Amino acid sequence: MKISETMKEFLQRANIIYVATSDKDGIPHLAAGERIVVSNDERVKLEAWFCVKTIENLMVDPAIAIAAIDPSTKDGFQLLGKIEKIDEKMVMDGYAPAMEEKWAGVSITEYTITVIISHVLKFTTGVHSDLPLSND
């Protein structure tokens, strides 16, 4: 599935993106981020301080769902795909001592997750089919 120019513009304007993963037992986990970059017409990069659970899930099940919605229109897109790679972008190490003390033992890392998109669906609170959008 190719990401159209309209989809690209929408995604890059999105204030919040939602990322769904699941663990080896199929238990879902939902995370939120603020930055999605459309690399080309079939890949996106998510850049966020994802929690450990999101990364752990992707290590055992590379399937991912990404959604963005415009709250004013209640319309958006859902992207389905598989991760291609996960890069550590930044690790907190003395930058925010109070936060690091509060979260002792938990990795505080900003990641870039590259995703190969297989399907794009309409994402809305209204009536919809969950059928992939066409490239027409």
Side-chain angles (χ1 to χ4, degrees), residues 30 42 56 70:
L30 190 60
E42 62 183 25
E56 286 175 351
D70 179 338

Side-chain angles (χ1 to χ4, degrees), residues 12-130:
Q12 295 190 165
R13 281 192 322 267
N15 291 330
I16 299 174
I17 56 164
Y18 302 95
V19 177
T21 62
S22 63
D23 67 14
K24 65 180 177 51
D25 297 319
I27 297 172
H29 175 73
L30 190 60
E34 295 179 334
R35 184 154 163 75
I36 184 168
V37 176
V38 179
S39 302
N40 58 41
D41 61 4
E42 62 183 25
R43 281 181 176 74
V44 298
K45 290 184 178 182
L46 308 171
E47 298 177 352
W49 295 88
F50 288 110
C51 59
V52 174
K53 187 65 178 168
T54 299
I55 303 305
E56 286 175 351
N57 285 354
L58 290 171
M59 295 299 192
V60 296
D61 183 353
I64 190 169
I66 305 158
I69 195 164
D70 179 338
S72 65
T73 64
K74 299 181 182 175
D75 285 322
F77 296 102
Q78 179 180 185
L79 310 174
L80 305 178
K82 293 197 181 285
I83 60 161
E84 181 174 49
K85 67 179 178 172
I86 300 173
D87 294 313
E88 287 186 2
K89 188 173 176 183
M90 188 181 320
V91 178
M92 279 215 191
D93 186 15
Y95 177 74
M99 178 187 274
E100 291 177 43
E101 185 177 318
K102 176 181 176 184
W103 294 93
V106 176
S107 174
I108 303 173
T109 306
E110 184 177 20
Y111 294 94
T112 299
I113 301 172
T114 304
V115 181
I116 300 172
I117 303 303
S118 58
H119 297 87
V120 179
L121 294 74
K122 185 171 184 66
F123 189 70
T124 182
T125 60
V127 175
H128 59 286
S129 69
D130 277 341

